Amino acid sequence: MTDRDPVPTLDGEKVRLRPMHESDREALLEVLRDPSIVEVWDTRGTELSADELIAGDEDWTVWAVEVDGRFAGSIQSAEESDPDYRHAGIDIFLSSAFQGQGYGTDAVRTLARYLIEVRGHHRLTIDPATSNVRAIRTYEKVGFKPVGVMRQYERGVQGTFHDGLLMDMLADELR
């Protein structure tokens, strides 16, 4: 998406994806401090992560994930516009209070459908830590398939690098 494109609100079966706002800061910080998020999200600190998510970025589109009007987390997409490599990537985190109930699956499926049907992408990627079994199961339910392991891909909270699993999904594989 570009600066001219407004971030749309997207309704799934269980979740609503809506633009992130400054008024989300306290709820966002609370989610970013959740131990289950600290374990797998940005190591630079919750304040910086919140600042970046709220401010937005020309390379990423950010949504707040809501469940019954409650702030549950965030989902983001990045789009490659080069026609020879056109695809989009997704990233997501949800508070532990909303994990294991199908909200993540619905959020990923809702954003994937938008990226394929509205934005015209034929391929999507996602890259969880290989140890994040819950996330991998979620992505497989939507149709993502493992492509390969990216060795020592990402630095974790202990300061050491861990492997990431590159997963992708073609448009006709969306479930």
Side-chain angles (χ1 to χ4, degrees):
M1 297 183 65
T2 67
D3 290 335
R4 295 181 306 261
D5 295 332
V7 177
T9 296
L10 308 172
D11 288 314
E13 292 180 15
K14 296 180 164 200
V15 302
R16 169 170 275 187
L17 310 182
R18 61 155 177 83
M20 184 78 71
H21 302 293
E22 178 63 39
S23 60
D24 294 318
R25 177 172 293 282
E26 288 308 312
L28 176 59
L29 285 168
E30 185 177 328
V31 173
L32 288 168
R33 290 180 185 126
D34 184 310
S36 71
I37 305 305
V38 170
E39 183 180 325
V40 296
W41 196 252
D42 192 351
T43 62
R44 299 170 301 154
T46 57
E47 293 287 338
L48 180 60
S49 290
D51 290 345
E52 289 179 346
L53 289 164
I54 291 169
D57 180 291
E58 66 183 43
D59 296 327
W60 285 93
T61 303
V62 179
W63 286 266
V65 178
E66 284 187 346
V67 174
D68 298 326
R70 296 176 295 156
F71 187 93
S74 178
I75 191 166
Q76 311 86 43
S77 68
E79 298 181 67
E80 171 59 59
S81 59
D82 182 322
D84 291 342
Y85 298 94
R86 186 158 166 74
H87 73 282
I90 297 175
D91 207 353
I92 183 174
F93 60 85
L94 293 180
S95 165
S96 58
F98 295 94
Q99 295 172 13
Q101 300 169 67
Y103 300 125
T105 302
D106 189 45
V108 171
R109 182 178 292 120
T110 299
L111 181 53
R113 185 170 289 117
Y114 168 76
L115 291 168
I116 292 167
E117 295 176 1
V118 176
R119 301 294 295 170
H121 292 284
H122 74 285
R123 180 175 157 272
L124 306 177
T125 62
I126 203 159
D127 57 359
T130 56
S131 61
N132 195 342
V133 175
R134 180 190 312 256
I136 293 167
R137 267 196 323 261
T138 294
Y139 308 147
E140 288 174 337
K141 289 176 189 174
V142 176
F144 284 90
K145 294 179 173 37
V147 174
V149 173
M150 299 177 290
R151 299 176 306 143
Q152 295 188 18
Y153 172 65
E154 182 178 47
R155 190 169 46 132
V157 291
Q158 282 77 31
T160 58
F161 283 84
H162 58 263
D163 295 347
L165 179 63
L166 177 61
M167 302 178 80
D168 76 359
M169 176 177 64
L170 301 177
D172 63 354
E173 295 170 335
L174 176 62
R175 296 187 219 148

